[in-house]
Structures are given as structure tokens and as C-alpha cells.
Amino acid sequence: MTISHVSVGHGPHRVLALHGWFGSAHGWGWLPELIDVERFTWAFPDYRGYGARTGVAGEHTIAEISRDALALVDSLGWDTFSVVGHSMGGSAAQRVLADAPGRVARLVGISPVPAGGVPFDLQGWTLFDGAAANPANRRAIIDLTTGNRLSGRWLDEMVRFSLTHSTPEAFGAYLTAWARTDFTDEVKGNPVPALAVVGEHDPALGADTMRETWLRHYPNARLEVLANAGHYAMYETPVRLATVVEEFLGQ
């Protein structure tokens, strides 16, 4: 049985896309509409507790996301593929690389959580930890990570989407998963071609963080900073994001 996912394109280059904490298989902004369908086939799965899989029980760990993702690509008959991960999905994408290093052709992180997780001070953890139960916390997080510069209507819509497409239990559990999971030693030095794409207005998972993590972990990594974007480039600057990612995947 194939795990629930959205498929876009019919091209020869296969791409597994792992969504962020506030996302889902349908939570990729305008990126899916911009895919070059002749060159690429993208698969966008839901995690357990998200989207079409809100009723699926699970441990809600990064390792579980990877296991499910590999089960999906196996069911699709994909021997090799590239992996794209946004935010929390950036950690999961690297877990897929750790679990199946010979199968991942290229690795892309869009504002990715590093393989070592994310350190929080007490105030920050309180804000994020309260987001499962409190929509106002979710709104504050999205506003903060996009530089406090975007429309209130858009922030409200992002919160509504998140509440509709994830269970509070899964959402809460995944915070610990992405923030406090460390498998750096399993990926450090991997020669896979890797690209980190970040927004100039992302205060936490921006260029400085990538230089200290992603670029140190992967010897064949490079960094792309998107102007006029924060943490959600697929909504903020989708055309530029699609261009940068597909140029890298197609090299």
C-alpha cells in the first residue's frame, strides 16, 4: 500500500519532498505549480498525524518520517532519488540520507533544521512548546521566522492551514523530534551534492546557521540566500525558489 502523497510531474529525475512543521503534503505554497513536469517527478508525502494521515498513529520521530519516506519511494519503484526538505523536513531529509546513503542523488534543504537539532533558550522553548495548544503562538512563530514583515491575513491563513492539517498531538510531539534529535555523526562528511536555501529574513535558520552546520557537515555543499524571503520561501518567493532548486537538481 502506497503512503498517502501528492505526485507532481512525470519526468525522469525523481524528487522526494518532506514538509515542515507547519506544512503537509499540500503545504508547499506555489512550489508544486512551478515544477518542470517534463524533467521531474516530485512526491510530497504527509507525515503521521498530518494531512491525509491525521488518523494514522505513530511515534512522531524523525526516524519514523524517514522509514515512511523510504517505504513510499520503495512502493513507487524509485531506486535512486533526490530529497528536498523544508524546515523540520530538512532534518528528515538528512535522516533519509543517513538511512539510505547510496540512494540519495542530491540533497536540498529549504531553511532546513540541522542534523543536530535546534538549541532553544527558555523563552523560545516556551513559545514553541505552547504552539500545539495555542494558535496565537503559531502565529507569533510564523511572524518571527519571516522577519515580522508580512501580511496579517497571510499569517492567519498559515495558522488556519496548520490547525486544519495536523493534530495537536502530532504537532506537539514533532517539536521535540526536530529540535532535540542529533544524528550529526551519521551524516558528517557525506559527499552527496547538497544545497541549503535560506531566506535573508529568517532569524534562526538563516545563512549563519547553515555555515556552522550544513556547510560544515557536507563537503560538497553550497549556500543560496534568497532576497525578500524568510522561513517560507515557497510562499514568499516561489518562482526564485523553484528556479534555484531545479537548477541544482538538474546539474
Side-chain angles (χ1 to χ4, degrees), residues 64-147:
E64 182 179 73
I65 293 174
S66 176
R67 288 195 299 270
D68 283 356
L70 288 169
L72 171 61
V73 296
D74 286 345
S75 72
L76 296 173
W78 294 5
D79 293 328
T80 59
F81 50 90
S82 294
V83 189
V84 175
H86 172 243
S87 193
M88 173 174 78
S91 174
Q94 294 173 85
R95 185 67 252 178
V96 170
L97 175 67
D99 291 339
R103 299 179 67 181
V104 176
R106 287 180 174 263
L107 176 69
V108 177
I110 303 167
S111 301
V113 169
V118 176
F120 279 91
D121 59 21
L122 180 59
Q123 181 180 3
W125 183 259
T126 300
L127 174 65
F128 277 68
D129 191 40
N134 191 342
N137 286 42
R138 301 194 193 205
R139 192 183 194 276
I141 290 166
I142 298 166
D143 194 19
L144 171 69
T145 58
T146 52

Side-chain angles (χ1 to χ4, degrees), residues 159-199:
V159 172
R160 186 203 63 77
F161 181 94
S162 175
L163 293 168
T164 303
H165 290 85
S166 63
T167 67
E169 296 77 16
F171 190 86
Y174 281 123
L175 171 61
T176 300
W178 63 256
R180 295 182 171 170
T181 296
D182 186 352
F183 54 95
T184 304
D185 290 344
E186 296 182 61
V187 296
K188 197 170 184 178
N190 191 296
V192 67
L195 172 68
V197 185
V198 300

Side-chain angles (χ1 to χ4, degrees), residues 182-233:
D182 186 352
F183 54 95
T184 304
D185 290 344
E186 296 182 61
V187 296
K188 197 170 184 178
N190 191 296
V192 67
L195 172 68
V197 185
V198 300
E200 66 170 333
H201 296 290
D202 189 338
L205 295 174
D208 289 344
T209 299
M210 293 306 114
R211 291 187 186 101
E212 293 300 315
T213 57
W214 194 276
L215 297 188
R216 289 180 182 266
H217 299 163
Y218 302 108
N220 293 314
R222 69 178 182 85
L223 174 66
E224 181 83 24
V225 180
L226 299 183
N228 203 33
H231 192 69
Y232 296 91

